[in-house]
Amino acid sequence: MKVLQSWLQQYIEFSLPPDEFADKLSKLGLEFEGVERTGEEYNGFVVGKVLERTQHPNAEKLSICKVNVGTGTLQIVCGAPNVAAGQKVAVGMSGAIVPRNQHDPSGKPLPLSTVKIRGIESSGMICSEYELDLGKDADNILVLESNAKIGKPLAEYLGVADIVYDIETTPNRPDWLSHIGIAREIGAIVGRKPKLPKLKLKEAAIPVSKHLTVKVQDTQNCYRFAVRMICGLKVEPSPRWLQNALKGLNLRPVNSVVDVTNYVMMECGQPLHPFDYALLKGKQIIVRQTKRSSSFITLDGQERKLPDGVVMVCDAEREVSIAGVMGGANSEISDSTVDIVLESAYWNPSSIRRTSKLLGVSTDASQRFERGADPDGVLYGLNRAAQLIVDMAGGELLKGVIDIYPRKVKERFVPLRPERVNLVLGTKLTTVQTVRLLRLLDIVPTKRGSKRLMFRVPSYRVDITREIDLIEEVGRVYGYDKIEDKTTATVDFAHFFPKESHADHVREKVIGLGFCETITNSMQETKKAILGGATPARISNPQNREMDTLRTSLVPGLLDVVARNFNYGNNDLRLFEIGHVFSRDESERPKLVENFLEEQRLCLLMTGMVAPRHWGSPSTCVNIFDVKGKVIDLLEQNGLDKGKFISYSTSDSLVENRIALEINGTYGGYLGLVRAEVLNTFGIGQEVFVAELNLELLAPTDKSLYEPLPRFPKVKRDLGFIVDVGISAEGLQKSIKEFSSGLLQGIELFDVYQGDQLPAGKKSLAFSLELMSPDKTLTDAEIDTEVRNIVTHVQDRFNALLRSVERST
């Protein structure tokens, strides 16, 4: 943001040198990019008066002029045909550098010195507008106004002698994007409030509502929309002071109407837009969203592709402006414009930010609206611009304002405890001092209590919503450099170091299992967030459509990482993430925020080959048992031996053949194969297996029991049963465990067979049993009795057929 010193001094007087001025504002939080003096190209140029003009004796087209430059009279030879006695002219003294040499094809600068021209001495030059880089006329000298003061530096006469401050503003301070906003900060330095321009409007008898109607259909994004109308004006170039002000900010002057809207925007921070009334169809203005994709030509002549959902200002038949971003070529102001409609609005910041990003267009207007303009500044900016346009372009200002305010922005009141101010800042300010400092920023108290004050916050300060924000303002104005530094440090040897966090413990174990950690964004687009199955929590003020919802699952974020790795040729992946997921939940489960559930989860992802390719072994791809094995390893390492897997034949929106995990009788998550249609949306062409677990239930147990090593040998027996295909191996194994005596130390399924050698509807399950007594070596008779009892139990309970009994080593 560039600001001009002369412009600032219209609102508040200050006499600080540029370096000191920049230093003081920097301490208030404004960062300076640079300081530039303008008009230095006219050093050595002054206003002069031609006292007499005589013919050059040796050249028919040259004149000899006597010119008063304030400090004396110079003799100057001039070749311009329009030079005459009595004129006020721009004189370049010897030693000055003419910006453009009209006799040089490339227009390079020309140093001046005292020279003889056709035998006559000439001390300086009477300049044309071309030579001063003010216009295209190179034949005639520039004749100044008759009241120009002789000897006045030309830069001051032209109004270009100024100091330009380039200030880097922060996104939370849109009020700094204006000269009045910066003037308020200066007021805090010098202890005075800035004086704003007074408005004196002369209205015609005809009301604006007789010529124009306004409808706001999109009240979600248009908080306030106001218009005025001026009839019978004449569009001409702006006066020099206005053009100079805009040029000082690197803005191109266009005409008196457009220049005023740009001037007011830079003055008070309120963007405005003028429409040619004759080009508005149906004499209507309608604010609505686009319902389908379309094209629109903006003021810069570019054709923009508009997606659906973009907020537009329209007439009765078509779009005429992209709301808050840029106007349309179909209603722009031209030299033939006679009647104008002047718009001033306050838009939903997120809507403007989204539109600007979608179209790839960032303008001075959008930068202000997307940060949050001043809703109470809508009418001031509109009336200020109307007054200036009538002053410059004439015409009649129709009576009244059409002001539609469907979403009124309420006044903000923020409490403050003076004691808290001193506690946070380390100061000893009294309540009176605190109030005085905030009053300098137009933050005034409305209620006073013994320990707490209530302050009304100006509408242009969108960054102040909490007590800590007010404390920061007190610190800024008081001066952080005045606060005494007090640094203390203590070492406490009386307490143990805090325990390692649960998440860090799990992270270490998962990395040990061969997984790489990823961190993804918890904000996603809605179509990804709903894959988790839960009701997603929408963000009320999203940055863009790709981040408008909080994630309900960690899986979509990891799939994005997989797709990115595939693009780089990395197809064998072992990834994990520990993060929070969010959902709407109206159950009685404990929540930090009402109706919103937040959980911390662990997600494991496996895809590609089980092991690197090798000539000595066949290549195999990851399957569901690999993921299940990693989950079992993790449970065992955390001392969780009561995990139970429950298989479902159904699928949900995210995974197929979902397997649920119970930990100590509580649902702890799931694992499964990601559905092919989900993988296709991410551009993934191979199987991906995931496990998403509740991190809280993975907390390691401290109840570890240690036993001495066995003194007696273990004996193994393998049993094979033929059972119905509907009987699960897990259920049969669990039944054996529950029935057996204390001799059974372990049981493991090592073979499943179902084929032509078995009757239809049957399958074979083979288990390895591990038997041992802690007190003695088992005899064959004891072993046979235990095995026989187990076989009988299985046969009776599951109608099983014993296929084989074998000793194993």
Side-chain angles (χ1 to χ4, degrees):
M1 171 68 185
K2 294 181 182 292
V3 294
L4 302 179
Q5 179 164 295
S6 61
W7 199 338
L8 291 172
Q9 288 180 331
Q10 296 177 28
Y11 317 116
I12 189 164
E13 294 183 2
F14 62 96
S15 57
L16 299 172
D19 291 343
E20 184 179 349
F21 175 74
D23 178 66
K24 288 185 177 296
L25 280 186
S26 294
K27 291 178 179 178
L28 284 177
L30 289 91
E31 182 177 348
F32 277 76
E33 295 288 313
V35 178
E36 175 189 358
R37 292 182 180 273
T38 61
E40 292 186 342
E41 66 271 26
Y42 298 123
N43 287 346
F45 291 82
V46 298
V47 175
K49 181 178 181 180
V50 180
L51 301 178
E52 62 177 71
R53 172 188 178 273
T54 59
Q55 182 65 43
H56 194 292
N58 302 322
E60 181 179 348
K61 294 184 178 181
L62 298 180
S63 303
I64 302 173
C65 301
K66 301 292 184 181
V67 184
N68 179 7
V69 294
T71 56
T73 302
L74 302 179
Q75 177 176 281
I76 299 175
V77 176
C78 179
N82 68 324
V83 65
Q87 292 174 334
K88 298 289 181 66
V89 294
V91 180
M93 316 279 281
S94 293
I97 299 177
V98 178
R100 298 171 70 182
N101 182 1
Q102 65 170 305
H103 302 293
D104 185 278
S106 60
K108 292 182 179 179
L110 172 67
L112 295 179
S113 60
T114 300
V115 296
K116 285 189 176 183
I117 301 177
R118 295 291 183 93
I120 302 298
E121 187 175 273
S122 178
S123 301
M125 176 186 287
I126 303 175
C127 300
S128 66
E129 65 177 30
Y130 175 86
E131 290 163 328
L132 295 172
D133 201 14
L134 296 174
K136 297 180 180 180
D137 188 355
D139 298 327
N140 299 296
I141 61 169
L142 175 65
V143 179
L144 308 180
E145 297 171 352
S146 60
N147 60 354
K149 184 179 179 181
I150 298 172
K152 186 174 185 177
L154 182 63
E156 292 184 17
Y157 170 79
L158 295 175
V160 296
D162 214 330
I163 300 176
V164 182
Y165 298 98
D166 192 357
I167 301 174
E168 182 70 25
T169 60
T170 55
N172 67 326
R173 293 298 304 270
D175 57 304
W176 283 347
L177 294 174
S178 68
H179 281 75
I180 289 178
I182 301 300
R184 294 190 186 105
E185 298 294 309
I186 298 173
I189 295 174
V190 300
R192 298 190 306 274
K193 290 186 178 181
K195 296 180 180 179
L196 304 186
K198 294 182 178 180
L199 300 180
K200 295 181 180 179
L201 299 176
K202 183 179 179 181
E203 297 181 328
I206 303 174
V208 63
S209 57
K210 187 175 182 179
H211 292 271
L212 186 71
T213 60
V214 178
K215 298 178 181 178
V216 176
Q217 296 179 358
D218 185 7
T219 57
Q220 288 296 112
N221 294 309
C222 181
Y223 292 3
R224 189 173 193 179
F225 193 90
V227 295
R228 297 205 73 136
M229 190 169 171
I230 302 173
C231 297
L233 54 75
K234 184 177 182 181
V235 178
E236 294 180 323
S238 302
R240 182 189 302 149
W241 69 265
L242 178 52
Q243 293 193 37
N244 289 338
L246 296 179
K247 287 178 180 178
L249 304 181
N250 294 334
L251 294 177
R252 178 179 63 88
V254 179
N255 56 54
S256 53
V257 174
V258 175
D259 291 352
V260 164
T261 60
N262 286 330
Y263 179 85
V264 172
M265 177 176 64
M266 294 299 175
E267 178 182 59
C268 64
Q270 176 61 41
L272 305 155
H273 185 70
F275 300 95
D276 189 327
Y277 177 70
L279 300 178
L280 294 179
K281 306 294 183 181
K283 311 311 175 189
Q284 284 187 351
I285 287 181
I286 303 171
V287 180
R288 58 174 175 81
Q289 293 186 20
T290 55
K291 297 181 180 179
R292 61 181 181 273
S293 299
S294 60
S295 297
F296 184 73
I297 299 176
T298 46
L299 286 171
D300 57 1
Q302 299 293 316
E303 183 177 352
R304 312 283 181 183
K305 300 297 182 182
L306 301 178
D308 62 313
V310 173
V311 185
M312 302 292 292
V313 179
C314 312
D315 60 19
E317 300 178 6
R318 59 191 178 160
E319 295 96 352
V320 293
S321 175
I322 303 175
V325 179
M326 188 181 293
N330 56 8
S331 59
E332 72 175 312
I333 305 299
S334 65
D335 293 343
S336 60
T337 299
V338 177
D339 306 323
I340 69 167
V341 174
L342 197 59
E343 167 214 317
S344 181
Y346 177 70
W347 306 98
N348 182 349
S350 63
S351 169
I352 304 302
R353 184 165 53 249
R354 181 167 55 249
T355 299
S356 179
K357 184 174 182 180
L358 285 173
L359 301 181
V361 179
S362 179
T363 62
D364 287 325
S366 68
Q367 289 174 11
R368 285 159 176 79
F369 281 130
E370 67 187 20
R371 286 167 170 80
D374 179 10
D376 290 349
V378 169
L379 292 185
Y380 178 84
L382 182 63
N383 291 330
R384 171 69 167 153
Q387 174 181 298
L388 291 173
I389 290 174
V390 171
D391 289 345
M392 296 178 194
E396 285 188 325
L397 177 64
L398 298 192
K399 184 178 181 179
V401 180
I402 298 178
D403 182 16
I404 300 178
Y405 203 169
R407 297 189 65 181
K408 188 172 180 62
V409 179
K410 297 180 180 179
E411 281 190 315
R412 268 175 293 130
F413 297 90
V414 179
L416 179 68
R417 294 165 291 175
E419 182 181 355
R420 181 67 177 168
V421 173
N422 291 325
L423 182 63
V424 173
L425 296 179
T427 54
K428 297 180 180 179
L429 297 171
T430 64
T431 300
V432 173
Q433 290 174 311
T434 300
V435 170
R436 182 182 61 80
L437 292 172
L438 290 175
R439 281 187 180 276
L440 292 174
L441 299 173
D442 205 23
I443 302 172
V444 297
T446 58
K447 294 181 180 179
R448 295 174 182 259
S450 59
K451 294 185 178 181
R452 194 175 84 154
L453 307 175
M454 188 67 72
F455 286 86
R456 183 179 65 246
V457 179
S459 57
Y460 55 81
R461 289 303 302 272
V462 298
D463 59 308
I464 299 178
T465 59
R466 304 167 299 166
E467 181 183 49
I468 193 64
D469 299 325
L470 289 178
I471 294 174
E472 181 183 359
E473 294 304 297
V474 173
R476 281 199 318 124
V477 180
Y478 177 72
Y480 289 116
D481 55 325
K482 297 179 182 178
I483 299 175
E484 182 182 357
D485 292 332
K486 292 182 179 179
T487 303
T488 60
T490 60
V491 179
D492 185 1
F493 294 101
H495 297 86
F496 293 105
F497 288 109
K499 292 184 178 181
E500 180 185 37
S501 72
H502 169 42
D504 288 340
H505 174 82
V506 173
R507 179 180 291 108
E508 180 182 342
K509 298 298 183 184
V510 176
I511 292 174
L513 292 174
F515 288 80
C516 295
E517 184 175 16
T518 66
I519 299 175
T520 62
N521 200 326
S522 60
M523 294 180 288
Q524 299 175 339
E525 56 183 324
T526 304
K527 67 179 183 180
K528 291 182 180 179
I530 61 177
L531 292 175
T535 304
R538 299 294 299 272
I539 299 172
S540 60
N541 188 24
Q543 293 184 356
N544 52 59
R545 289 183 178 178
E546 287 73 32
M547 294 190 294
D548 63 355
T549 310
L550 293 175
R551 64 187 177 191
T552 59
S553 169
L554 300 177
V555 175
L558 284 177
L559 292 179
D560 277 327
V561 177
V562 171
R564 193 174 303 114
N565 275 270
F566 278 16
N567 291 336
Y568 287 92
N570 300 325
N571 298 331
D572 304 327
L573 301 171
R574 309 288 184 274
L575 306 175
F576 82 95
E577 180 175 9
I578 295 174
H580 292 261
V581 298
F582 311 83
S583 62
R584 294 186 64 89
D585 189 325
E586 297 182 3
S587 68
E588 298 300 322
R589 300 172 66 181
K591 308 177 189 70
L592 185 63
V593 179
E594 184 179 2
N595 295 333
F596 290 94
L597 181 65
E598 179 178 352
E599 294 179 293
Q600 193 172 21
R601 293 183 185 174
L602 164 69
C603 186
L604 307 179
L605 182 147
M606 298 180 70
T607 184
M609 310 304 290
V610 173
R613 290 175 174 83
H614 189 268
W615 61 270
S617 60
S619 299
T620 57
C621 293
V622 169
N623 58 39
I624 189 64
F625 298 105
D626 295 304
V627 180
K628 181 180 178 183
K630 296 297 184 182
V631 173
I632 293 173
D633 289 342
L634 180 60
L635 294 177
E636 290 179 349
Q637 290 186 22
N638 285 348
L640 302 170
D641 56 355
K642 292 185 179 181
K644 178 182 178 182
F645 294 93
I646 305 173
S647 178
Y648 297 95
S649 59
T650 58
S651 302
D652 57 26
S653 60
L654 191 57
V655 299
E656 299 176 357
N657 300 323
R658 188 186 187 102
I659 300 175
L661 171 64
E662 281 190 4
I663 301 176
N664 295 325
T666 303
Y667 177 76
Y670 69 90
L671 53 151
L673 170 66
V674 180
R675 296 174 62 91
E677 50 267 39
V678 174
L679 295 177
N680 289 336
T681 62
F682 288 87
I684 300 172
Q686 69 183 37
E687 291 185 336
V688 177
F689 296 87
V690 295
E692 190 167 22
L693 312 175
N694 187 327
L695 190 69
E696 182 180 355
L697 297 180
L698 296 177
T701 177
D702 293 330
K703 300 178 181 179
S704 301
L705 299 177
Y706 297 92
E707 297 179 353
L709 292 175
R711 297 166 52 197
F712 303 99
K714 295 179 180 179
V715 178
K716 291 188 177 181
R717 292 291 187 270
D718 294 340
L719 299 179
F721 296 97
I722 298 176
V723 296
D724 293 338
V725 293
I727 295 175
S728 69
E730 181 184 23
L732 197 152
Q733 181 174 310
K734 180 180 179 183
S735 181
I736 292 174
K737 283 183 177 180
E738 292 175 348
F739 172 77
S740 66
S741 67
L743 298 181
L744 182 64
Q745 301 297 311
I747 180 171
E748 180 180 356
L749 176 71
F750 69 87
D751 182 62
V752 178
Y753 173 74
Q754 185 176 356
D756 296 338
Q757 298 181 18
L758 295 177
K762 298 291 184 178
K763 66 180 177 181
S764 173
L765 301 177
F767 297 92
S768 176
L769 309 182
E770 190 176 79
L771 306 173
M772 186 190 72
S773 171
D775 304 320
K776 64 178 181 176
T777 300
L778 293 175
T779 65
D780 288 343
E782 292 171 326
I783 295 171
D784 292 341
T785 300
E786 180 71 14
V787 171
R788 187 166 51 251
N789 291 337
I790 291 175
V791 170
T792 302
H793 168 75
V794 173
Q795 290 174 332
D796 295 342
R797 174 79 181 274
F798 297 97
N799 195 24
L801 177 64
L802 179 65
R803 187 179 186 189
S804 64
V805 179
E806 296 181 5
R807 295 174 180 266
S808 63
T809 58

